[in-house]
């Protein structure tokens, strides 16, 4: 889901007209678009909604009307690549896989900016690890690369956090595969492995926030220009190195909010660090690959849970 300043929630369901909006006050649901292939994210900007299906970036007027395909990519976009979107006044930004003859599934990903007025996408960065999350400030795109693999200093491998100017230019490595040297040494006889992202990316006015999965999941901050890592919270989990450990990392004011799938809670921790507080308990399973898993707006938090099994299928929560 996503929200806008007009007090609507935008979401998808499994009907023949699956892109919908609902008034936050509960005053009805309006269908906006007919069926399409596997919508994975919805983002509101201005008078349009931008969204990603299995391999395309699309735009639909909020008031209804023709849907425009802004960019098309590899047909296996949905295989582990984030559906996060960033839109400013001139461009939409997304990640996609690149089809090659040597890799199946794809092993090359690109960060692209797509002109809203039409035209060919511009590649800002090409990477050889899965793009797990994207966010942006006014001038830079930030992204997270995910690869849980053996790590040794200087190998240029493992999970990373990077940035690049929206105008194009030099890519900056903010976090390397060793969490900038902060990961503990492996026990004797074991091989060091990189960290594994979970929960996406979020921005404060000065810092970039991200999380790693492990024996605990850890929420961390790093200055947007680079610098020392700062630990905000560490929460034990029984399911080691699962990317579903934490979902929907989001910032509002002086607090960070997230879905804690193993304690089944919507929780928060101060941006400055401190105690983790559960705001809602007994949540069902929450999953997703985009930043819209958890939406904050109008003093409330919104999320979707998987429903119960009915016959062959799982009903939406």
């Amino acid at each position: 889901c996503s929200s806008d300043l007009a007090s609507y929630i935008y979401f998808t369901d499994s009907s023949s007209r699956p892109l919908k909006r609902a008034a936050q006050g509960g005053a009805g649901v309006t269908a906006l678009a007919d069926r399409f292939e596997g919508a994975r994210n919805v983002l509101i900007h201005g008078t349009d909604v931008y969204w990603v299906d299995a391999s395309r970036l699309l735009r639909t007027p909020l008031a209804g009307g023709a849907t425009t395909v802004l960019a098309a990519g590899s047909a296996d976009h949905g295989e582990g690549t984030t559906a996060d979107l960033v839109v400013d006044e001139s461009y939409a930004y997304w990640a996609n896989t690149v089809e090659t003859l040597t890799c199946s599934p794809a092993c090359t990903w690109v960060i692209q900016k797509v002109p809203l007025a039409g035209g060919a996408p511009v590649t800002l960065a090409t990477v050889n690890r899965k793009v797990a999350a994207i966010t942006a400030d006014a001038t830079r795109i930030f992204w997270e690369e995910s690869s849980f693999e053996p790590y040794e200093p200087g190998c240029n491998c493992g999970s990373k956090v990077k940035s690049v100017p929206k105008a194009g230019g030099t890519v900056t490595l903010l976090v390397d595969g060793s969490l900038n040297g902060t990961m503990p040494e492996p026990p004797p006889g074991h091989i060091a492995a990189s960290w594994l992202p979970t929960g996406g990316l979020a921005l404060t006015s000065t810092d970039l926030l991200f999380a790693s999965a492990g024996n605990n999941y850890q929420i961390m901050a790093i200055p947007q220009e680079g610098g020392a890592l700062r630990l905000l919270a560490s929460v034990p989990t029984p399911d080691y190195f699962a990317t579903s450990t934490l979902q929907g990392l989001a910032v509002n004011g002086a607090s960070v909010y997230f879905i804690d799938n193993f304690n089944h809670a919507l929780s928060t921790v101060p941006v400055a660090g401190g105690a983790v507080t559960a705001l809602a308990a007994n949540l069902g399973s929450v999953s997703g690959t985009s930043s819209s898993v958890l939406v904050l707006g109008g003093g409330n938090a919104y999320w979707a849970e998987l429903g119960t099994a009915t016959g062959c299928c799982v009903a939406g929560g």
Side-chain angles (χ1 to χ4, degrees):
C1 6
S2 187
S3 63
D4 68 7
L5 299 179
S7 299
Y8 291 102
I9 296 297
Y10 294 84
F11 65 98
T12 61
D13 63 19
S14 57
S15 69
S16 61
R17 303 205 70 195
L19 181 59
K20 291 182 168 67
R21 74 177 181 184
Q24 289 186 16
V29 174
T30 302
L32 300 175
D34 293 334
R35 182 176 293 279
F36 43 85
E37 185 180 359
R40 304 181 61 234
N41 195 6
V42 178
L43 177 70
I44 310 304
H45 184 79
T47 59
D48 297 298
V49 54
Y50 296 83
W51 47 287
V52 174
D53 71 1
S55 61
R56 300 174 300 174
L57 170 61
L58 306 102
R59 177 176 61 202
T60 302
L62 289 175
T67 293
T68 302
V69 178
L70 295 176
S74 170
D76 62 357
H77 177 276
E79 297 297 325
T81 305
T82 182
D84 286 350
L85 288 172
V86 173
V87 180
D88 58 25
E89 296 307 311
S90 300
Y91 296 95
Y93 304 82
W94 73 329
N96 209 325
T97 51
V98 176
E99 292 182 340
T100 65
L101 297 177
T102 57
C103 291
S104 181
C107 56
T108 302
W109 289 262
V110 289
I111 311 294
Q112 292 182 325
K113 67 176 183 180
V114 182
L116 301 185
V122 176
T123 295
L124 297 176
T126 300
V127 301
N128 58 3
R129 301 294 186 275
K130 178 181 71 177
V131 179
I134 296 176
T135 192
D137 63 9
T139 61
R140 291 166 295 188
I141 297 291
F142 301 87
W143 73 92
E144 200 170 40
E145 299 175 18
S146 176
S147 184
F148 186 56
E149 61 187 338
Y151 176 84
E152 60 183 26
C155 71
N156 192 31
C157 56
S159 301
K160 306 177 186 70
V161 180
K162 297 177 179 177
S163 70
V164 68
K166 286 182 175 180
T170 302
V171 172
T172 299
L173 176 65
L174 298 174
V175 182
D176 67 15
S178 69
L179 283 176
N180 293 354
T182 64
M183 290 182 62
E185 292 292 326
H190 290 72
I191 298 173
S194 181
W195 58 284
L196 188 64
T198 181
L201 297 169
L203 291 171
T204 70
S205 60
T206 59
D207 291 339
L208 177 70
L209 276 54
F210 68 101
S212 67
N215 294 357
N216 298 342
Y217 61 78
Q218 296 181 311
I219 301 176
M220 286 169 281
I222 188 168
Q224 294 174 18
E225 305 295 339
L229 286 174
R230 181 165 55 89
L231 179 65
L232 303 187
S234 180
V235 181
T237 170
D239 195 349
Y240 303 150
F241 304 111
T243 56
S244 60
T245 305
L246 179 153
Q247 295 291 325
L249 198 66
V251 173
N252 187 280
S255 298
V256 186
Y257 299 83
F258 56 94
I259 301 291
D260 179 345
N261 266 332
F262 291 98
N263 293 302
H264 303 289
L266 166 67
S267 298
T268 183
V269 65
V271 168
V276 174
T277 302
L279 300 180
N282 302 315
L283 272 61
S285 179
V286 178
S287 64
T289 58
S290 75
S291 59
S292 59
V293 170
L294 177 65
V295 173
L296 308 178
N300 298 308
Y302 302 87
W303 68 94
E305 302 176 9
L306 295 179
T308 56
T310 304
C312 68
C313 307
V314 175

